[in-house]
Amino acid sequence: MSHIIASVDPGSPAERAGVRAGDRLVRINGEVVIDFLDYQALSAERRLTLTVLRDGAELALRAAKGEYAPLGLNFDTPMMSGVRMCCNRCLFCFVDQLPHHVRETMRVKDDDWRMSLMMGNYVTLTNVSDRELDRIIARHASPIYISVHAADPALRARILGTPRAEKLMAQLKKLSDGGIEFHCQAVLCPGLNDGPALEETIRALTALPGALSLALVPVGLTNHREGLPELRKYAPEEARAVLDQAEVWRRRLLEERGTRFVFPSDEFYLQAGVEVPADEEYEDYGQIDDGVGMLRLLETEFSAAWAELPEADRASGGGVKLAVACGVSAAPFLTRLIGEHPVSGAAVEVVPVENRFFGPNVTVSGLIVGRDLIDRMRNVDCDAVLITECMLRSEGDRFLDDMTLEAVCAALGRPVVPVGRRGDQLLEALMTVGR
């Protein structure tokens, strides 16, 4: 195994050692470099022997540098290897529910624990061997984000569609015993892995010192499930039952472990028609990227920033007409939040956008597509439309249906302004857009 060195930073320890662009890195201090994780760990030492291939021959080059200082090598791909793909057939796989004309990158089914470490992606560990678990421990790769769904082996295998899923609890114990910490999630389906199954899952995870938290997320279902297993969304009373069950554990675990450990996602509270918990109940917001506490943190940040405005800027009404386009589930929350915190110079309307692209069961803001935004906002009287940046890919220019932000602006004949996730960013947009 070797890795092509695309470039060497000028003046770096690697350049001083004689490494050239086009060389192939094989080993560092005698250890084979598998990927970027290995490279980062092995190159942290002060004194290094780099084994490279040049013109078919191995060379041993010695480098000296500060501990943890960059070595100065750059490679063709960030991971120095291909992304590991998913081998599961999950009952609720969102990729299997995608309609035609979705952005093509959405169809990629990755399940790479290295991306979990680097970016917080959830992984199932079904494609991780015992040897790879040993490498995770040896490299102190922590924390990892793991999709548990159910602790019961047979039930988890049924949910993930592979017998490989049965090994999870043994894998988690090995990681925990090796000093690795992990955040967990359970995507819950009514009557499948909630109720007694969820009790078993929470009990099993709380027995592992490495388990930091468990996010509970209701299953997301589109209108494009032809040929897929029959599933349904939570009714309000069922969602409330999950929250009640979680709350019993949250109170108990706060007393026993100093953490509530179990964190239902915002979507569970919205489906149940229950107010999201107070700011302190989310502790360090460790599961916010899984939709846990996003609304509460938004309100906390928005309210704090609003309270610091001069009195004159907190008067109701104004000349600029702004529309905040959002998912159906978040609309009542945002309507109340903005209504209780008016800003002068702007008349703000919160506009819920029904998701026709994925189907009306999909109510989150981040999955609104360009075409649905155009259809809903075309006849709304406003000077500008504010959207969450979560609707767009990381480059900030394209919706999930592959429509560009520029095309949506042109179709509406007015600015469509992406806004960051923080509450102070939303307030700043309300204060400045169109002024």
Side-chain angles (χ1 to χ4, degrees), residues 19-30:
V19 183
R20 303 175 186 171
D23 289 348
R24 302 183 72 101
L25 179 65
V26 181
R27 293 184 296 277
I28 297 179
N29 288 346

Side-chain angles (χ1 to χ4, degrees), residues 3-23:
H3 306 278
I4 297 176
I5 297 169
S7 64
V8 182
D9 293 340
S12 66
E15 185 185 59
R16 294 195 299 270
V19 183
R20 303 175 186 171
D23 289 348

Side-chain angles (χ1 to χ4, degrees), residues 20 58 70 82 91 109 139 168 176 200 206 222 275 317 376:
R20 303 175 186 171
E58 280 196 359
L91 297 178
K109 290 187 180 183
R139 298 292 180 241
L168 177 73
S176 181
E200 180 179 351
T206 53
T222 77
E275 186 176 351
R376 179 66 179 90

Side-chain angles (χ1 to χ4, degrees), residues 233-418:
K233 66 180 293 185
Y234 275 90
E237 62 275 12
E238 293 173 320
R240 286 192 289 271
V242 171
L243 296 179
D244 291 343
Q245 182 181 8
E247 189 58 30
V248 172
W249 279 99
R250 284 161 55 81
R251 291 176 180 173
R252 171 182 162 185
L253 293 171
L254 180 62
E255 182 176 341
E256 294 178 357
R257 295 183 49 153
T259 173
R260 294 168 179 83
F261 187 80
V262 181
F263 296 95
S265 69
D266 294 0
E267 197 65 20
F268 254 123
Y269 291 99
L270 294 174
Q271 289 188 13
V274 175
E275 186 176 351
V276 297
D279 180 72
E280 63 271 13
E281 293 195 35
Y282 288 102
E283 300 175 13
D284 63 353
Y285 286 91
Q287 292 268 21
I288 193 164
D289 287 333
D290 206 21
V292 176
M294 293 182 71
L295 292 179
R296 177 53 67 210
L297 185 59
L298 178 77
E299 180 167 14
T300 299
E301 294 168 339
F302 188 96
S303 301
W306 184 84
E308 294 180 358
L309 293 176
E311 189 67 32
D313 289 336
R314 290 186 280 163
S316 179
V320 177
K321 296 179 181 179
L322 300 178
V324 178
C326 64
V328 172
S329 58
F333 181 91
L334 289 174
T335 299
R336 178 189 60 78
L337 175 64
I338 295 174
E340 292 176 355
H341 302 85
V343 296
S344 61
V348 184
E349 178 185 5
V350 175
V351 182
V353 179
E354 181 177 338
N355 202 316
R356 298 177 181 174
F357 188 76
F358 290 110
N361 283 334
V362 176
T363 60
V364 297
S365 298
L367 293 178
I368 292 173
V369 300
R371 291 177 181 82
D372 287 343
L373 191 63
I374 292 170
D375 290 343
R376 179 66 179 90
M377 304 305 298
R378 193 187 304 274
N379 296 318
V380 174
D381 181 20
C382 64
D383 299 308
V385 178
L386 306 185
I387 62 172
T388 174
E389 64 181 9
C390 299
M391 294 183 193
L392 303 170
R393 66 176 184 173
S394 57
E395 292 82 358
D397 62 345
R398 197 171 292 271
F399 291 85
L400 291 176
D401 60 352
D402 227 21
M403 282 201 74
T404 64
L405 178 62
E406 182 181 16
V408 173
C409 292
L412 291 176
R414 71 202 82 166
V416 177
V417 182

Side-chain angles (χ1 to χ4, degrees), residues 172-237:
L172 295 185
K173 185 178 187 309
K174 183 172 184 175
L175 292 175
S176 181
D177 290 347
I180 302 300
E181 295 181 322
F182 40 88
H183 293 281
C184 306
Q185 74 157 323
V187 175
L188 299 183
C189 304
L192 181 62
N193 58 337
D194 52 8
L198 180 57
E199 287 288 307
E200 180 179 351
T201 299
I202 297 174
R203 188 176 296 109
L205 290 176
T206 53
L208 300 174
L212 299 177
S213 66
L214 172 65
L216 305 181
V217 182
V219 63
L221 304 173
T222 77
N223 272 23
H224 306 274
R225 292 190 54 83
E226 297 84 359
L228 298 177
E230 185 174 344
L231 296 173
R232 61 180 178 83
K233 66 180 293 185
Y234 275 90
E237 62 275 12

